[in-house]
Every structure is written in structure tokens, then in C-alpha cells.
Amino acid sequence: GKDGYRHYMEKELHEHPLVIGQTLQRLVDPASRTVVLPDMPFDLASVPRAVITACGSAFYAGMIGRYWLEDIARLPVDIDVASEMRYRNPPLTSGSLGVLVSQSGETADTLAALRSLREKAVHILSILNVEQSTMARESAVVLGTVAGPEISVASTKAFTAQLTVLACLTIATARARGTLDTAGEEALVAALLDLPSRAADVFTSGDAIRRMARVVAEARDVLYLGRGSMFPVAMEGALKLKEISYIHAEAYAAGEMKHGPISLIDRTVPIVASAPYTPLFDKTLSNLQEAKARGGRLLVFTDTKGADRVSAIAEDMVVLPHVHDFVAPILQTIPVQMLAYEVAVLKGTDVDQPRNLAKSVTVE
Ligand code: F6R
């Protein structure tokens, strides 16, 4: 049941801290505080590149995985949505690593992409929530997201669990490739192990998120902005808003705004930005300044280290705990999903069963 929550989505949002913790328990050895992945029939040290593919929210998780694998493991990564990847016929070196991400393990396009990568002798590593699924049976390695059943059509906890697995995969790959030393691994693992309690702290921001939701609920269009690993977080926020509140939303890499979308900005188009204090904070803030100068209303998700500077320009903000840059996209996902939820509640939509959508998309 819903355990007293209004919707399954609300219940599942509250499970973020738990599922991040459960997923880490499978992949981190508590004694050595190192990542331990299951045995694989190939060596992460020698894969020449990775190809990541998925649909919807799972694709955005994969995008964050790309930033991590490139930056920390120095592994070249190609990524595309599965409905494009399956027909792209990219030239691939055999022995590359295929990373497939799916909650259900049954998504038709992701399964077809898996098969087309396998035909090219790519090693298939799938990150799946349903471990008894078609994709699981066709993969060389399955890394489970220990999120439990997800009932709400809009994905929430499966997404942060996917990110947790991708973070561990990044650490293991980096170690195998010699781009991360012991001290480096310790710092990243410590940041991950700290996440469940930081994620629980996010729920103290409920009032601020509901205040933002009242502004967003009045809008016809909303722009979501972020840079670096916060860009896919913005995409996730925009998708969730469209999906359950039926308000049009678009996500842009903040630096791309001046190449077109800035002409949209006026008082009627709220701007939701994800801007924690990471190395891209200053760049993001200057993009937000530009939007504000054109009459944009800024609703900003930041953290304790960014709060002073954000408060000087934002109409409203949500202040999360400051965490290591590496895990910031995992933490920052939670409030953007909560915002979409609160807007949908205000709009009175069928939150758990949005129109025209199915939980598992088994047709092309
Ligand atoms: C968004 C959402 C969808 C799924 C997508 C992939 O909230 O739920 O975009 O993420 O349909 O589904 P899976 O992960 O089952 O392959």
C-alpha cells in the first residue's frame, strides 16, 4: 500500500535514502570501504570505450554516468537514447563496454539496442531494477539497483539507485584503469556512504519546494537549467514535470541559453536551475544573471556553500546540504522530482497514472 502517503510517487520519493543505502550495501565492502563488483567475464581495465544507452529517465542517469566515466575513469564514452542507438549502426571496436540502463529490463528499444550491441561483440553490462527480466537474461553482467518495486509510472527511486550503481561502476573502472588511487577511491566512497543521511535531510526542504511549486503550477512553460552533471538533472526535472503535471518544460545546458532559448524569457516562464557549489557554480550563476537581467524569475536548487550568492539573485531557493561534487547530481535529483510531484498535486492530475503513459514500454 501507500503507507499513508497520498500517492505511490510520494512514498517512493521518500524511499530515496533507503534505496541508495541498499544499493551501496551490495557494491561497497564495509571493511575496506572499497567498491567490489561481481566477477565479470571481461576486464574493465582493457575495454577501449563505453557505449551507454537507455530511454527516458534511465537515459539521463546514463548521461550523468558519462560525465563520471570520462572525468574519473578517463574512458571514452558514446551515449544515445536507445531508439536512436538501435538504428545508428555506430562503428564499434569489439570488446567495448555496453552499458544498458533500465528499471524494468523490458523496454523494447533498450532491449533492441542491447541486441544490436551484442551482435557487434560488445560486452553487455546492464543496470536493472527487475533482475528477472528479458534484458537480464541477455546480459553478460547485471548490476542490480536495489530499489524494490516501483509502482508510480514516473520513475523516482530507481533513478537515484541507477546513479548509485553508475557511480560504483565508475570507481571500479577508474581503479582498474589506474586513474584513481587508493586515497581518491576512499574519498569518493566516503561521499557515497554519506549520501543516505544527506538525502534524508532533503525532506526538511518540503515547505520551500511547495512554495516553488505554486509558482511553477501557474506557468504554461518552464525552463530548466544546469551545467555539467547538473544538465541531466535539469533534463530529469523537465521530463518529470511534463510527465505528471502536463506543463511544458524544457531543459537546457545553461551555457547554451544565449544561443536561442534566452529569447523565450519573460516573467511568465519560470526558470528552475540546479546550481550546487561545484566547480561550475560561477559559470552557472553568470548564466542565471543573464536570465534575470531579461526579467526571468529564478527558482534555484543550491546547497549551503552556494546559498549566499544564490539568494542575491534568486526569487526563491532550496538549500540542500553541501556534498562532494561527485555525488551532487544524485542529491540534487531528489528536490527536482519533489517539485514535479508537488506541482502535479496542485494541478490535481492522476499523479501515479499520468495519461497516455505506461510503466513499461514494451513496444517500439
Ligand atoms: C520517466 C520514466 C520513463 C522511463 C523510461 C525507461 O519518469 O519513467 O522515462 O524512465 O520509459 O524505462 P525503463 O527504465 O523501464 O527502461
Side-chain angles (χ1 to χ4, degrees), residues 104 106 128-137:
S104 63
E106 302 294 343
L128 305 173
N129 198 39
V130 180
E131 291 179 56
Q132 312 295 324
S133 54
T134 310
M135 283 178 61
R137 287 192 292 277

Side-chain angles (χ1 to χ4, degrees), residues 57 59-72 159 163 166-167 170 225-237 251-254 273-281 284 323-334 336:
S57 283
F59 170 69
Y60 303 142
M63 279 185 74
I64 293 170
R66 170 179 65 171
Y67 285 99
W68 286 335
L69 283 167
E70 288 180 342
D71 181 31
I72 299 166
F159 183 83
L163 291 178
L166 284 160
T170 299
L225 299 177
R227 296 184 79 119
S229 64
M230 294 303 142
F231 172 39
V233 171
M235 297 174 96
E236 165 66 4
Y252 264 91
S274 294
Y277 194 81
T278 65
L280 290 173
F281 178 73
T284 306
V323 293
H324 194 296
D325 302 338
F326 176 52
V327 299
I330 308 181
L331 196 70
Q332 292 284 334
T333 292
I334 300 172
V336 299

